[in-house]
Amino acid sequence: MDINNLVKRIVAADKLSISRAISMIENNSPDSDNLLDGIHKYVGRALRIGVTGPPGVGKSTIVNELIAALRKRDKRVGVIAVDPSSIFCGGAILGDRIRMQKIGVDNGVFIRSMATRGCSGGLSRATVETADIIEASGKDYIIIETVGVGQSEVEIFRSVDAVVLVLSPESGDAIQAMKAGIMEIADVIVVNKADRPGLDAFVTNLKNTLELARPQSVPHLCGSSKAKIPVLTAQANAGIGIAELLDTLEKYLSGLKESGKLAQRRRDVLRERIKTHILTRLEEHLLSDKKITKLVDNEIGKAGATPGKIAQKALRVLINRKTRKVLIPSKKRGRGV
Amino acid sequence: MDKKIRVLVAKPGLDGHDRGAKVVACALRDAGMEVIYTGLHQTPEMIVQAAVEEDVDVVALSVLSGAHMTIFPKVRKLMKAQGLKDVLMTGGGIIPEEDIKKLSKLGVGRLFTPGAPLKDIVEYIRAALS
């Protein structure tokens, strides 16, 4: 496939081209690096919002309402909704679209469901690259919805400009458990299902917890340590609280932009992404290199062969000239931009 | 390359009986496929838009309402118009044999009727895509 042509069609917002390009990234196609290089100059303008929280609190419903609210403000929206893959069979039920149908058929919206495919951070390996592809088609906002998270799925923080943490009054004691992990990465907290009993007590507890538990040392790139995290309430299935959420997010993001913290945060996101890219390449190579597997198998059990020494020996074999060629493929003529 | 088979499972129209669709969706997941389940009350336009955005290999419709002769041809036509000619269309429901034959002539793949073993559906999709 001609990558230049594909890039042109993505930029022209051709849905089928965007969709096929995402599959190339997701399936780790040999052309995916060239494709991402090609769209790079069309990326960086959209604001990226992450939506995370425990299973069943209403993340997809909130995203559905956010899409509608953004469309009303004449913004074009891309959405990536991640659901878990089975660790046993590799299959997945991707059901977030069920709740994202308020808008119906609309060329200003692009929704893609993704399975985690073995990644454990709440996203899939290809999520951020997929956001790039969708953004290149001219979107103003990209919303990334994580899988239903527990305590430590915090990868979303390193992937977006702002994180919305969704909870419900029933999240109850779960908050205690979440203090150290997911609570730290929230830029805005929404307590959804506000019609359920126990809302007031929950919000009060939450605010108290936030004041106590938010460590000053968290390298949070947005507000200053003195800034309070906004806690909003919503009843997303009735559309209540969504306009306020969007207003809060817009205000927050423009604050980030003016203070220069948005650029700083994006640099961090990029740095993380480059690191992941390098590690993925190394891992792929390592896993497919029979020489290394054999070397390790041979060394295990030998007198004086500690795990550290075996690893060093393997690394010496791994990082040689031949490997360099495998890890850094030269661009084929006529491809890339 | 680590390609997964992606299947869209949808319930078109006003038909509210989604147990069959859910059972099939779970069987396909257990067979290692990624199943995008859109739920009830889908219009043909919504189904085809989802199929485009999700880059699925298969569109599977469940129709128990008797509207199959309207819905399958309409979705098939829209799929062709959107460039999804190479996407397999299959499905199931309470569909008489003569209608299945007619739909087959329009490019609709195999349709499964009550009692079809889940294994057959999985094997059919795998074989059709290989």
Side-chain angles (χ1 to χ4, degrees):
Chain A
M1 190 189 289
D2 183 349
I3 294 292
N4 288 330
N5 224 336
L6 181 58
V7 170
K8 267 186 211 147
R9 278 179 300 180
I10 292 169
V11 174
D14 173 49
K15 280 198 172 184
L16 196 56
S17 301
I18 303 168
S19 179
R20 298 258 151 103
I22 293 171
S23 295
M24 285 170 65
I25 306 292
E26 220 188 354
N27 297 334
N28 215 359
S29 140
D31 281 331
S32 41
D33 280 356
N34 286 342
L35 173 62
L36 289 168
D37 289 349
I39 57 150
H40 185 72
K41 65 176 170 189
Y42 303 102
V43 175
R45 266 156 277 175
L47 292 167
R48 297 190 180 189
I49 296 168
V51 177
T52 192
V57 290
K59 294 183 291 298
S60 302
T61 312
I62 284 195
V63 171
N64 183 38
E65 292 295 330
L66 277 176
I67 299 170
L70 283 164
R71 289 303 288 149
K72 249 188 219 161
R73 298 181 191 190
D74 216 20
K75 305 285 185 199
R76 284 159 299 178
V77 194
V79 176
I80 304 165
V82 189
D83 267 331
S85 299
S86 159
I87 53 165
F88 298 110
C89 62
I93 297 279
L94 310 175
D96 291 322
R97 278 192 99 94
I98 299 176
R99 321 254 178 244
M100 298 185 191
Q101 296 179 352
K102 190 165 181 175
I103 281 298
V105 177
D106 181 352
N107 277 330
V109 180
F110 190 100
I111 302 172
R112 179 68 171 234
S113 316
M114 293 188 114
T116 52
R117 296 195 182 179
C119 287
S120 56
L123 298 176
S124 83
R125 178 190 55 79
T127 306
V128 181
E129 281 89 351
T130 298
D132 284 1
I133 304 270
I134 300 178
E135 186 187 336
S137 73
K139 300 290 180 282
D140 304 297
Y141 277 83
I142 303 287
I143 303 175
I144 300 177
E145 180 189 330
T146 71
V147 303
V149 299
Q151 298 174 17
S152 58
E153 291 92 340
V154 291
E155 205 176 290
I156 188 71
F157 176 65
R158 292 287 181 211
S159 310
V160 293
D161 299 324
V163 176
V164 177
L165 172 63
V166 185
L167 299 169
S168 77
E170 287 101 347
S171 300
D173 282 350
I175 292 295
Q176 296 301 321
M178 284 192 274
K179 270 192 262 186
I182 197 135
M183 295 289 280
E184 288 173 340
I185 63 161
D187 295 284
V188 177
I189 295 179
V190 184
V191 183
N192 192 31
K193 306 192 184 184
D195 52 328
R196 299 279 172 95
L199 176 75
D200 292 344
F202 181 81
V203 170
T204 310
N205 276 336
L206 179 63
K207 284 182 175 163
N208 288 341
T209 310
L210 285 173
E211 274 178 20
L212 291 173
R214 192 171 172 82
Q216 303 285 307
S217 58
V218 172
H220 214 257
L221 302 162
C222 13
S224 73
S225 56
K226 278 180 208 152
K228 280 193 181 151
I229 307 175
V231 177
L232 309 172
T233 60
Q235 197 187 324
N237 64 356
I240 297 167
I242 301 302
E244 292 82 351
L245 170 61
L246 195 51
D247 289 343
T248 307
L249 276 170
E250 281 186 339
K251 206 176 127 199
Y252 182 81
L253 286 165
S254 62
L256 278 188
K257 216 182 231 170
E258 278 160 26
S259 67
K261 280 176 178 146
L262 186 66
Q264 198 187 331
R265 184 162 178 165
R266 286 186 168 183
R267 260 189 86 89
D268 276 39
V269 169
L270 268 182
R271 194 182 298 121
E272 197 65 20
R273 187 167 153 185
I274 292 162
K275 200 173 92 187
T276 310
H277 194 113
I278 296 171
L279 288 175
T280 310
R281 269 291 155 75
L282 278 172
E283 192 183 359
E284 275 165 15
H285 179 59
L286 189 60
L287 291 176
S288 65
D289 194 327
K290 286 189 185 114
K291 212 165 133 195
I292 300 285
T293 321
K294 214 170 155 191
L295 182 146
V296 171
D297 278 344
N298 284 340
E299 290 292 309
I300 290 175
K302 273 189 188 169
T306 65
K309 277 182 188 161
I310 299 174
Q312 271 181 24
K313 203 165 181 178
L315 277 171
R316 269 198 293 275
V317 177
L318 190 61
I319 302 167
N320 59 18
R321 262 183 133 179
K322 198 180 136 217
T323 313
R324 219 170 290 157
K325 264 189 202 157
V326 178
L327 290 176
I328 313 164
S330 55
K331 276 193 183 174
K332 285 171 201 160
R333 239 180 283 161
R335 279 191 178 147
V337 174
Chain B
M1 295 280 282
D2 19 41
K3 170 100 182 84
K4 287 256 174 217
I5 295 177
R6 285 170 70 89
V7 187
L8 182 82
V9 174
K11 287 282 308 175
L14 293 174
D15 169 12
H17 301 87
D18 59 351
R19 186 158 173 83
K22 282 177 176 164
V23 168
V24 171
C26 287
L28 299 179
R29 177 203 62 191
D30 290 345
M33 301 178 195
E34 291 181 354
V35 182
I36 294 98
Y37 183 61
T38 64
L40 296 167
H41 308 145
Q42 303 291 299
T43 64
E45 287 80 8
M46 286 161 85
I47 291 168
V48 175
Q49 174 177 263
V52 167
E53 292 181 355
E54 301 288 356
D55 194 20
V56 291
D57 308 290
V58 183
V59 171
L61 304 182
S62 160
V63 186
L64 302 173
S65 62
H68 49 268
M69 292 310 282
T70 313
I71 286 160
F72 278 97
K74 178 137 197 226
V75 173
R76 188 72 201 154
K77 202 175 143 200
L78 286 171
M79 280 169 70
K80 275 188 188 157
Q82 295 286 321
L84 300 180
K85 284 183 209 98
D86 48 346
V87 172
L88 174 68
M89 187 186 196
T90 178
I94 304 165
I95 306 171
E97 200 54 47
E98 65 251 41
D99 288 351
I100 292 182
K101 279 185 196 141
K102 279 183 209 158
L103 290 171
S104 167
K105 281 186 191 137
L106 298 175
V108 176
R110 209 171 135 191
L111 297 176
F112 295 85
T113 50
L118 292 168
K119 200 170 70 122
D120 288 5
I121 301 174
V122 170
E123 275 167 13
Y124 167 68
I125 288 177
R126 279 198 185 133
L129 295 181
S130 64

